[in-house]
Amino acid sequence: MFKFISGFSFSLCRYARDMERPQNSVARTPTDSIMAQRRSKNKSYRQSYRSCLGAASRLSHTPGWTARRLNTSRRTKSHNITEKVNPEDLALLVKTEWQLSYVTPLYQFRHTQLRSYSRQLSAFITAEKQQGLAVEVEGAQTSFRVSFSAVQGLGETDDDAETVLLQIHSKPVFAGKDEAQKLVWSGWLTCINGNPEYLHLLPKDFTCLPLFGSRGAENLTSLVKSWFQQTFDCCFGPLEINQTCLQWLAALWTNCHIESSIQHLKMIWTLPVEPPLQITYTVNSQDVWELWNSVRNPSLESREEEEAARSIDIEEVTRFMQGLKSHFYRHFRLDLSAGRLSQVSSALGSAKFSGRIKMSNSRYVLTTLTLLTECALLKMPI
């Protein structure tokens, strides 16, 4: 028996869909010779991507999205990255909500050229502003200062490219002479535990940083994406966190409860009725932990060496979610299986279907980014 009643929060409201639309990926055309070279490189990239996906993806009826699926099992453990990652960089990544996008491999991107990229992007934003594309961030701005930096110590494997952090600072027109510039936009590109087979098949001129997070004014985000597309011949697209990924995050975060209390597990479900309904379902930590233990593989519970980094498989995730939905049905006679899971949150973080993610505990940043990197690679067009 599960004592979930005290942990419930139930509300009904009108649901409004809010999904990020894909950004315009049209880039300015450079010289014909350069474009011809890049087309050749892109062809090699596409062939490498298809090779990684298998023969089935070469069929003529294959859609322009990968046919692969998320891994059916994964290991979870906490990582003390505070000793390896710059505290300032870590503070920016954690406890901030990011809007996610996927990014195709960057052509001729070099980590050794980050200082040059800072100057180029700053000049690009200034030029766009002078052409009448005003960038309004809390009022009129003077100049924008862009900084690129590599986040040391965040990678998991030698195949992963170093995470890149972007920051844009600016000062309002009427700011005092000695007033410092303020951070008005931030973003990052990363690849944590990327598919090694795919990474090895990429041509050497391409750098894979498939996961992009941004926070700040939307017009600045559009300008940053536009500059990347023109400079590195890449493409951005919205990265929704689908229901399967949300279920994985619910299980992964619950599995971390012994080391770092999740405090509660909150889920928001959307039911397709008229008018649409949103159901908020909250379970306290002890109850959800007991349910999680009940669906775990018994052979793992008796092996102490598995506690630090034990494997979770999709069958356990499915049983865990089914247990939550069954309990809800017994009390309210509402079948959540008919709806869609659109948000998951706990003390360790929150994730929304619209592609917004917040990581609240640095020890589980790598676990979360590994799953999201996998999602980005799968969403990438062939």
Side-chain angles (χ1 to χ4, degrees):
M1 296 293 292
F2 306 114
K3 301 178 181 178
F4 286 165
I5 284 294
S6 61
F8 273 104
S9 172
F10 183 84
S11 64
L12 300 177
C13 65
R14 193 173 296 273
Y15 174 72
R17 187 181 300 270
D18 183 18
M19 294 175 59
E20 179 188 6
R21 295 183 179 181
Q23 297 294 328
N24 189 347
S25 61
V26 176
R28 296 175 182 172
T29 305
T31 62
D32 293 341
S33 60
I34 295 177
M35 276 304 292
Q37 182 183 17
R38 289 189 174 182
R39 288 193 189 101
S40 176
K41 295 294 184 180
N42 278 333
K43 182 178 180 182
S44 298
Y45 152 64
R46 290 192 296 270
Q47 290 174 344
S48 297
Y49 203 98
R50 291 191 179 99
S51 297
C52 176
L53 299 177
S57 65
R58 293 190 289 268
L59 296 176
S60 59
H61 63 269
T62 301
W65 304 96
T66 65
R68 295 172 60 232
R69 297 182 179 181
L70 289 173
N71 289 332
T72 58
S73 64
R74 58 188 76 244
R75 287 185 175 273
T76 61
K77 64 178 180 178
S78 63
H79 299 78
N80 186 12
I81 61 176
T82 56
E83 299 177 355
K84 300 187 298 180
V85 181
N86 185 308
E88 294 181 0
D89 294 342
L90 194 57
L92 185 67
L93 290 173
V94 176
K95 299 183 179 179
T96 298
E97 188 174 65
W98 301 94
Q99 179 65 54
L100 300 179
S101 302
Y102 71 80
V103 194
T104 58
L106 310 176
Y107 176 61
Q108 291 190 343
F109 178 89
R110 300 289 184 267
H111 282 79
T112 56
Q113 300 295 318
L114 296 184
R115 183 173 297 181
S116 175
Y117 299 155
S118 300
R119 293 193 298 268
Q120 292 176 37
L121 180 53
S122 179
F124 177 82
I125 295 175
T126 301
E128 293 297 311
K129 182 179 179 181
Q130 291 174 349
Q131 292 176 16
L133 301 177
V135 181
E136 297 180 1
V137 184
E138 298 181 357
Q141 308 291 307
T142 54
S143 61
F144 292 88
R145 178 173 60 85
V146 179
S147 64
F148 280 69
S149 60
V151 182
Q152 305 286 343
L154 194 59
E156 272 279 86
T157 69
D158 294 336
D159 295 326
D160 296 335
E162 281 188 334
T163 297
V164 175
L165 179 64
L166 294 81
Q167 292 180 294
I168 300 177
H169 293 79
S170 185
K171 181 189 295 186
V173 172
F174 300 106
K177 182 178 179 180
D178 298 329
E179 185 176 336
Q181 289 186 320
K182 293 183 178 180
L183 178 64
V184 295
W185 187 92
S186 54
W188 43 264
L189 298 105
T190 193
C191 179
I192 306 297
N193 283 316
N195 184 309
E197 183 181 0
Y198 168 64
L199 295 178
H200 290 162
L201 288 172
L202 273 180
K204 64 179 182 179
D205 286 330
F206 286 91
T207 300
C208 187
L209 291 165
L211 185 61
F212 175 73
S214 62
R215 179 177 69 94
E218 181 58 34
N219 47 14
L220 277 178
T221 302
S222 298
L223 287 178
V224 170
K225 289 181 177 180
S226 180
W227 179 82
F228 267 93
Q229 289 168 174
Q230 295 180 37
T231 306
F232 303 111
D233 209 13
C234 61
C235 179
F236 287 79
L239 181 62
E240 300 89 359
I241 307 176
N242 62 31
Q243 181 165 258
T244 302
C245 294
L246 291 173
Q247 291 176 353
W248 265 112
L249 286 172
L252 290 171
W253 287 340
T254 299
N255 193 59
C256 298
H257 175 63
I258 287 297
E259 296 177 342
S260 300
S261 174
I262 64 170
Q263 296 182 13
H264 64 270
L265 179 64
K266 179 180 177 181
M267 297 162 288
I268 295 181
W269 296 78
T270 302
L271 295 184
V273 297
E274 290 296 338
L277 298 178
Q278 230 180 41
I279 298 177
T280 300
Y281 181 4
T282 303
V283 187
N284 68 54
S285 58
Q286 187 57 39
D287 289 337
V288 77
W289 177 248
E290 291 178 4
L291 173 61
W292 176 244
N293 279 334
S294 72
V295 302
R296 291 286 285 153
N297 187 336
S299 63
L300 293 178
E301 295 177 0
S302 61
R303 297 167 59 183
E304 296 180 356
E305 64 272 19
E306 292 287 346
E307 293 299 321
R310 50 186 179 174
S311 177
I312 297 175
D313 59 50
I314 189 62
E315 288 78 14
E316 292 170 324
V317 176
T318 301
R319 292 196 297 268
F320 177 57
M321 298 306 298
Q322 187 57 47
L324 291 168
K325 290 185 284 189
S326 296
H327 179 81
F328 192 89
Y329 181 80
R330 285 196 297 270
H331 286 278
F332 298 100
R333 288 297 183 267
L334 285 174
D335 187 2
L336 296 179
S337 298
R340 186 191 70 190
L341 180 61
S342 57
Q343 182 175 336
V344 171
S345 63
S346 75
L348 302 184
S350 65
K352 301 176 183 178
F353 178 84
S354 60
R356 291 191 173 273
I357 187 74
K358 180 179 180 181
M359 299 170 287
S360 302
N361 190 313
S362 63
R363 298 182 68 88
Y364 305 102
V365 165
L366 295 181
T367 297
T368 303
L369 291 181
T370 294
L371 175 63
L372 296 176
T373 295
E374 193 176 338
C375 293
L377 287 171
L378 295 178
K379 186 67 182 290
M380 201 179 296
I382 298 176

